[in-house]
Amino acid sequence: MATAPPSTYSAVTLNINGEKHTLTVDHRTTLLDALRERLDMTGTKKGCDQGQCGACTVLIDKRRAVACLSLAVAAEGREITTIEGVAEGDQLHAVQQAFLDLDGYQCGYCTPGQICSAVAVIEEHAAGWPSAVTDDVRPEAGPPPLTPDEIRERMSGNLCRCGAYVSIVQAVARAAEADAAARAARAEQGTEHEGAAA
């Protein structure tokens, strides 16, 4: 008796921006197509569809990923953040605000991917991750200065066909400064709470 061939479809539950979405997808469906075509989350853009332009960059477990090369079935059980989930309610993320303030966009098509990538860049830098242009890569050296060269290298996977790179670098630098100040304030607040508890 012949057995039926295995189905090429599976039900997956994707945790996107803190909400769970269950859908049945072909195993070959990319995360990008699941987001745009099945869930109507069109903030993530389809550019080259080959992983080269970065327009579809999202965060998976807080790390950058190009959604056009990520399979939806492989993202099950992971925390996915798209551009729609970067802000805290009505409060823009520091990267979003910096892009607005410094005109880090022109047509805006690449902007969602640029912003998601920049959010991860700032986290990676704060964690001390080196880049290809980092002079001292020893862990004890700590995070390197976030120079324009560092930012350009770290953001190099995101292309802007309009050429807004100067403003993008400035926006990432400003957002990184805001993030560093917020981290310092949280650390100071934690020290004050420890002192009050003692």
Side-chain angles (χ1 to χ4, degrees), residues 16-17 30-49 53-60 64-70 80-86 96 108-117 158:
I16 305 167
N17 303 324
T30 64
L31 179 57
L32 176 60
D33 286 339
L35 290 169
R36 291 183 57 82
E37 308 299 330
R38 300 294 305 281
L39 297 172
D40 292 324
M41 294 185 182
T42 56
T44 305
K45 303 301 182 203
K46 184 178 275 203
C48 65
D49 217 17
C53 73
C56 67
T57 303
V58 297
L59 304 176
I60 300 179
R64 295 180 274 178
V66 284
C68 71
L69 296 184
S70 304
I80 303 162
T81 304
T82 67
I83 190 64
E84 292 92 345
V86 171
Q96 292 173 304
Y109 196 82
C110 72
T111 305
Q114 298 273 2
I115 288 173
C116 286
S117 191
N158 292 83

Side-chain angles (χ1 to χ4, degrees), residues 105-191:
Y105 55 90
Q106 285 185 31
C107 78
Y109 196 82
C110 72
T111 305
Q114 298 273 2
I115 288 173
C116 286
S117 191
V119 168
V121 160
I122 291 168
E123 289 294 323
E124 292 163 8
H125 176 261
W129 292 16
S131 80
V133 298
T134 302
D135 288 331
D136 190 348
V137 296
R138 296 172 302 144
E140 60 269 18
L146 199 54
T147 63
D149 283 344
E150 279 283 347
I151 294 170
R152 281 191 283 272
E153 172 61 28
R154 291 168 187 264
M155 292 290 293
S156 64
N158 292 83
L159 303 180
C160 173
R161 290 181 174 96
C162 298
Y165 294 114
V166 171
S167 297
I168 290 168
V169 169
Q170 292 171 349
V172 174
R174 180 178 288 184
E177 288 172 11
D179 181 72
R183 287 175 193 269
R186 284 193 301 271
E188 181 66 30
Q189 202 172 38
T191 305

